[in-house]
Amino acid sequence: MSDPSPESPDETDAPRTGYGVIHDYLKTLDSSPGVYRMLDAESRVLYVGKARNLRARVSNYTRPGHTARIETMISQTTRMMFLTTRTETEALLLEQNLIKQLKPKYNVLLRDDKSFPNILLSKSHDYPQVKKHRGARKEKGSYFGPFASASAVTRTLNQLQRAFLLRNCTDSMFETRSRPCLQYQIKRCSGPCVGLISREDYAESVRDAERFLMGRSTKIQEELGAQMMAASEAMEFERAAALRDRIKALTQVQTAQGINPRSVAEADIIGLHLEAGQACVQVFFIRANQNWGNQDFYPRVAADMSPAEIMEAFIGQFYDNKDVPRQLLLSDDIENADLMAEALGEKAGHKVEILIPQRGEKAELIAGAVRNARESLARRMSERATQAKLLRGIAEAFGLEASPQRIEVYDNSHIQGTNAVGGMIVMGPEGFMKNAYRKFNIKGDDLVPGDDFGMMKEVLHRRFSRLLKEDPDRKKGLWPDLLLIDGGAGQVSAVAEIMQQHGVQDIPMIGVAKGVDRDHGKEEFHRPGGRPFALQRNDPVLYFIQRMRDEAHRFAIGTHRAKRAKSMAANPLDDVPGVGARRKKALLTHFGSAKAVSRANLADLKAVEGISSALAETIYNYFQDR
């Protein structure tokens, strides 16, 4: 990396900015491809760009005639950084990667960058499990996706289980079953755990499921139809009815998936709509000629950005950490389509086509994506206008100087002090900011079980200790403008004490208590050192606060339930070295429970089938040490 610097001005002068600074870099640049960064006086990255020829590209910034946005960016530039690459393709990939990392002010930025779920047919067991999967593909098996949402995966999984009767239980549960579970009773599983289906027949069901997910549903339905007719003619009416149900389930899967294009086997349909300086990109996932759902995205854009610029930036950032299909069907052309296709193809390991359809079924798919983008953006703009009005109402109700841009709401959840957790949810101008939610496992050893005040103090102490460490200058947008505490005067006093200890006394806080009858609409609001007050029952701001308080409660109690379920499901045998699923089953079958195993003597442990003398000693010593 090179960082050629023009002559440094006198330290007493303000830093040089603008055209002159950029022009000075031309003396040291050559015609290599690469990536450049423009930085301001505080070394914050303003813009990241790529170039086939760095010298030629940077020289464009030394000539006037740019848009107002680019002129402002140039006027703020005090320094530039450069990184040369071997090819323009490398520069394109590096540019989008740096944009995602650095989030420059003047670039198109895709802010909603989540992964998408897949269906996994796990192959690490003799009887493969079908399940939802998200993240790195480390487990052995066949992956199918992406699906647009977890609900789309769940819906398809339910139908797949009805059609192919594949298990969804974990391997450990599979190994410890002695009789069929509810999934078998409701005809969602063939009962392989207790030998109700042979390994060969189950493997055939797995192959059928794979064929269906690869788009060969018609062939499977034809085969099942022939088997149903044969069973009926042989008067095997129960088998015929079961096959009929499987055919019906396959039909329901196809119906639920909506549009299933005939001419598109594997593609992402990407439609863009721009309005009032805002953008919405709608992506439909087509795999195996099946529609696996759609998702909308709202990249950060400026009013002077062209559709081509926005679309190219979106594609580069969207596929930075996602699988790339063989075709991308776009509503708007991009400047470097061939270069982008080459870069994505190198990343994916197969050829990628970028098309802008003008007629036929593909054009109809694009039109549908653009229509969805337009409707989604209209809803979002309406919601944001309402949200802005409610935030202004919050400021008026609580005497704030300006509308809060980040409201943090805190709640605790526990049962008589056990499995205690704290939850923080965040509300902003665009609604709930779920990627900013945080959970806190209460760790205070000196807390009395059920001490709500102490729990709240611990949560706020940990939250603001981290804030002071990560963003002491409050420049990253992580600090709240308002704290809402689920509770009354006691909780507010506890929080005020913690805030004072951290030297943070400029953030307003409000306690939300349910009032004497503990009923919606009768909430009382508490400030540190002030008298409680209330809002009118029909005030929209009151409903807004109730919605935030209820979301905090939902998040906290959901986290608590997950923690409690995990602690209840924990089996002491899971932590014993050398005890896997089969040996655990043998021990539980012999002794009846993990507690009985923990109390067994060495001789009894050695008597269990499959437990060697050495392992018996390991198990015995493990529980004795505890």
Side-chain angles (χ1 to χ4, degrees), residues 39-74:
L39 294 85
D40 66 8
E42 297 183 13
S43 295
R44 291 175 297 198
V45 179
L46 298 170
Y47 185 80
V48 175
K50 70 173 186 314
R52 178 183 301 155
N53 180 322
L54 279 172
R55 179 179 174 79
R57 183 73 184 91
V58 173
S59 68
N60 289 338
Y61 291 108
T62 65
R63 296 187 286 270
H66 301 285
T67 64
R69 175 176 63 95
I70 300 301
E71 290 284 356
T72 303
M73 180 182 75
I74 291 172

Side-chain angles (χ1 to χ4, degrees), residues 514-520 522 524 537:
K514 286 189 176 179
V516 291
D517 295 327
R518 299 186 62 78
D519 189 20
H520 270 54
K522 297 184 178 180
E524 290 183 344
R537 287 181 68 97

Side-chain angles (χ1 to χ4, degrees), residues 94-127:
L94 178 60
E95 175 201 30
Q96 300 304 332
N97 186 269
L98 288 174
I99 290 172
K100 289 179 67 175
Q101 288 183 30
L102 302 173
K103 300 177 173 54
K105 180 178 179 180
Y106 291 99
N107 283 96
V108 176
L109 181 63
L110 178 60
R111 290 171 289 186
D112 189 356
D113 184 28
K114 63 183 180 181
S115 62
F116 292 97
N118 293 266
I119 285 178
L120 168 61
L121 276 167
S122 175
K123 299 295 181 65
S124 58
H125 194 279
D126 291 339
Y127 293 91

Side-chain angles (χ1 to χ4, degrees), residues 199-475:
R199 184 179 301 178
E200 292 74 18
D201 288 344
Y202 190 87
E204 182 64 29
S205 295
V206 171
R207 283 193 291 272
D208 284 345
E210 287 181 309
R211 289 164 62 201
F212 174 78
L213 290 168
M214 290 188 291
R216 301 170 189 169
S217 55
T218 304
K219 182 68 173 176
I220 296 171
Q221 285 172 301
E222 289 175 357
E223 293 174 358
L224 291 176
Q227 294 175 28
M228 181 181 70
M229 293 300 295
S232 179
E233 290 173 1
M235 295 188 179
E236 297 176 359
F237 299 118
E238 187 174 346
R239 172 172 165 75
L243 290 166
R244 178 202 63 202
D245 292 341
R246 292 179 66 181
I247 295 170
K248 187 183 296 184
L250 284 173
T251 304
Q252 289 175 344
V253 175
Q254 294 167 315
T255 302
Q257 287 165 346
I259 302 170
N260 294 316
R262 296 182 300 275
S263 62
V264 181
E266 179 185 329
D268 284 351
I269 316 298
I270 306 177
L272 167 67
H273 179 71
L274 293 172
E275 185 176 339
Q278 299 183 53
C280 177
V281 179
Q282 191 81 207
V283 183
F284 282 77
F285 303 103
I286 307 296
R287 299 294 184 274
N289 294 97
Q290 301 169 13
N291 175 15
W292 283 355
N294 61 294
Q295 186 66 258
D296 48 4
F297 301 88
Y298 302 92
R300 185 191 70 193
V301 301
D304 63 339
M305 290 178 175
S306 67
E309 181 181 1
I310 296 170
M311 184 67 82
E312 180 173 311
F314 175 85
I315 292 170
Q317 294 174 48
F318 184 72
Y319 293 108
D320 180 62
N321 62 346
K322 296 179 180 66
D323 292 336
V324 187
R326 297 185 182 277
Q327 282 190 340
L328 301 182
L329 307 185
L330 311 183
S331 62
D332 297 271
D333 202 356
I334 60 177
E335 292 182 5
N336 302 289
D338 293 341
L339 182 65
M340 181 66 76
E342 180 184 348
L344 295 178
E346 287 184 8
K347 176 182 180 298
H350 58 71
K351 183 180 179 181
V352 175
E353 285 187 292
I354 296 180
L355 305 174
I356 296 84
Q358 301 300 318
R359 62 181 66 86
E361 185 182 39
K362 292 178 180 178
E364 292 175 5
L365 292 171
I366 286 294
V370 173
R371 182 180 64 253
N372 276 271
R374 181 174 61 251
E375 293 170 355
S376 295
L377 185 58
R379 287 193 296 270
R380 180 182 175 87
M381 291 170 69
S382 175
E383 291 168 359
R384 291 184 70 173
T386 302
Q387 187 81 356
K389 184 176 180 180
L390 289 169
L391 290 173
R392 287 195 298 271
I394 287 277
E396 293 172 5
F398 297 145
L400 307 182
E401 294 180 359
S403 298
Q405 299 301 296
R406 182 184 175 105
I407 302 173
E408 293 185 357
V409 191
Y410 292 87
D411 190 16
N412 295 328
S413 183
H414 62 92
I415 293 180
Q416 296 180 343
T418 62
N419 298 308
V421 297
M424 178 193 85
I425 65 108
V426 183
M427 174 68 80
E430 298 180 3
F432 290 116
M433 301 164 59
K434 296 196 175 183
N435 61 340
Y437 286 15
R438 296 291 181 269
K439 59 184 178 182
F440 302 84
N441 290 314
I442 304 299
K443 302 175 181 178
D445 296 330
D446 57 341
L447 287 178
V448 177
D451 180 4
D452 287 328
F453 299 161
M455 292 179 193
M456 190 63 73
K457 288 171 71 172
E458 179 180 330
V459 168
L460 270 295
H461 167 70
R462 287 163 59 184
R463 168 65 179 154
F464 281 89
S465 294
R466 185 163 185 168
L467 267 182
L468 288 165
K469 181 179 179 181
E470 294 182 348
D471 188 17
D473 298 326
R474 305 192 187 187
K475 292 183 178 180

